Amino acid sequence: MEWLVWTGAAISVLGLLGIALSVVQVVRAKRAGLDDDALRARLNRVLPLNLGALFLSVIGLMMVVVGVLLA
């Protein structure tokens, strides 16, 4: 089950990169000095990326745990 651990770790890293990307986008949006409606619209565009990246991280970590338990 070593392949499950390494695949899960790779998926978790992809999820962490996606979370970092969404954080960078939110910081840029806040620094842009937008009004409330424009800022809300930009944050609503970042939300699916953030949730998808969080999902990838969770799935990857679950794969790592299952791989370790089955080894």
Side-chain angles (χ1 to χ4, degrees), residues 21-53:
L21 179 64
S22 67
V23 167
V24 168
Q25 288 181 354
V26 168
V27 168
R28 284 183 184 166
K30 288 198 176 235
R31 286 186 184 164
L34 303 172
D35 63 342
D36 195 36
D37 291 333
L39 181 62
R40 186 167 301 167
R42 191 169 299 180
L43 292 180
N44 280 336
R45 285 197 313 249
V46 175
L47 185 65
L49 171 66
N50 190 9
L51 290 176

Side-chain angles (χ1 to χ4, degrees), residues 1-69:
M1 287 297 151
E2 185 177 335
W3 62 271
L4 189 61
V5 172
W6 286 108
T7 305
I11 291 173
S12 290
V13 168
L14 286 176
L16 287 175
L17 290 174
I19 290 172
L21 179 64
S22 67
V23 167
V24 168
Q25 288 181 354
V26 168
V27 168
R28 284 183 184 166
K30 288 198 176 235
R31 286 186 184 164
L34 303 172
D35 63 342
D36 195 36
D37 291 333
L39 181 62
R40 186 167 301 167
R42 191 169 299 180
L43 292 180
N44 280 336
R45 285 197 313 249
V46 175
L47 185 65
L49 171 66
N50 190 9
L51 290 176
L54 182 63
F55 176 74
L56 275 179
S57 290
V58 168
I59 293 298
L61 288 174
M62 286 178 12
M63 289 172 67
V64 169
V65 168
V66 168
V68 167
L69 289 175

